[in-house]
Amino acid sequence: MPERPASPASARAGVASLTTAAAFKPLGSSSAVKSPGWQRPHQAAPSTGRISNSATSSGAGAPASSAGGQPQPGDQDTLVQRAEHIPAGKRTPMCAHCNQVIRGPYLVALGKSWHPEEFNCAHCKNTMAYIGFVEEKGALYCELCYEKFFAPECGRCQRKILGEVINALKQTWHVSCFVCVACGKPIRNNVFHLEDGEPYCETDYYALFGTICRGCEFPIEAGDMFLEALGSTWHDTCFVCSVCCESLEGQTFFSKKDKPLCKKHAHSVNF
């Protein structure tokens, strides 16, 4: 916006034009992306994404070096369960496998009762009375078979995921492996932004790369209407007269000491 040199006390005139943030390029290079199935359109809007969570996702993506920090893939929300051992007593439940009455010690798993010798892995047929098991598509597998045939691989540490799965960037991750590269905290199912191939939580992204509206001091996000005036960027609703708060979007405005003023107050106010 061309402006004529003027003294700080004089009012300078200009016209602000409106722009949509979809065509706005923030500080630094970024790509618009969304997970899963990340793509990189040619627009320069701030990149955003949201993680999808799955506990039964199978398959794994290629190894990735991003996501910062040291991997600590502890499966806190593990899918692995263990059967409870019940001693013999007066109760004689029905076995979920053979539908026969159980007389003696039995196992309880998934709300059902089992003969200990019939609580076996659907694949290897080994007993699961003393090891962990996982239910997958209606069948029960020992944790070893589940890990081998069903558990997805983490895109960062390449270890199998036996708990909550994060699906992002066309890969699967442990919760503790997909973290913001700035603060190191797990992103989980929150919105995140991609900058130079690295994920950032929303707070850190705007703090490091985002453009802040001079009027409200909040970030200008993708889809926001904004304008540039007085050497700064503004939401369209924030660019108003400093005296009467009348919108100056698309209007001739004046400035004194870098404060926007409408025509009415341009020469009647001193700062």
Side-chain angles (χ1 to χ4, degrees), residues 14-33:
V15 178
S17 60
L18 195 63
T19 311
T20 305
F24 172 62
K25 185 173 181 61
L27 298 177
S29 61
S30 60
S31 304
V33 290

Side-chain angles (χ1 to χ4, degrees), residues 67-80:
Q70 293 299 319
Q72 298 177 351
D75 290 307
Q76 298 175 344
D77 301 319
T78 180
L79 301 175
V80 179

Side-chain angles (χ1 to χ4, degrees), residues 39-152:
Q39 297 177 352
R40 294 176 177 243
H42 295 295
Q43 69 224 36
S47 59
T48 62
R50 184 176 291 277
I51 293 172
S52 62
N53 298 72
S54 171
T56 58
S57 174
S58 60
S65 59
S66 64
Q70 293 299 319
Q72 298 177 351
D75 290 307
Q76 298 175 344
D77 301 319
T78 180
L79 301 175
V80 179
Q81 305 179 59
R82 288 185 177 273
E84 182 183 1
H85 289 252
I86 306 297
K90 295 182 179 180
R91 184 167 177 251
T92 54
M94 300 291 289
C95 177
H97 178 76
C98 66
N99 292 321
Q100 298 296 316
V101 174
I102 303 175
R103 301 184 186 280
Y106 60 95
L107 302 176
V108 172
L110 302 176
K112 301 176 182 179
S113 301
W114 314 73
H115 284 107
E117 65 274 13
E118 293 182 328
F119 189 65
N120 302 322
C121 173
H123 178 75
C124 68
K125 308 305 179 183
N126 290 331
T127 181
M128 299 185 295
Y130 300 98
I131 61 174
F133 70 91
V134 179
E135 183 179 19
E136 175 69 21
K137 297 179 180 178
L140 302 182
Y141 298 88
C142 68
E143 56 183 316
L144 297 179
C145 287
Y146 176 81
E147 181 176 338
K148 182 177 181 180
F149 298 109
F150 297 102

Side-chain angles (χ1 to χ4, degrees), residues 154-231:
C154 177
R156 182 171 175 224
C157 68
Q158 286 79 58
R159 292 176 59 183
K160 290 300 184 73
I161 306 172
L162 299 180
E164 183 181 359
V165 178
I166 298 297
N167 292 292
L169 305 177
K170 295 184 179 180
Q171 299 184 66
T172 51
W173 314 74
H174 288 103
V175 171
S176 56
C177 285
F178 194 74
V179 299
C180 171
V181 297
C183 65
K185 295 180 180 179
I187 297 174
R188 292 188 173 273
N189 62 339
N190 298 312
V191 172
F192 69 94
H193 301 264
L194 202 65
E195 181 71 23
D196 294 331
E198 302 285 2
Y200 291 82
C201 66
E202 196 167 27
T203 299
D204 286 325
Y205 177 82
Y206 283 115
L208 295 171
F209 308 106
T211 298
I212 304 299
C213 170
R214 179 176 165 183
C216 65
E217 297 185 352
F218 281 95
I220 295 176
E221 302 179 357
D224 288 349
M225 302 298 289
F226 75 97
L227 52 85
E228 294 179 327
L230 303 179

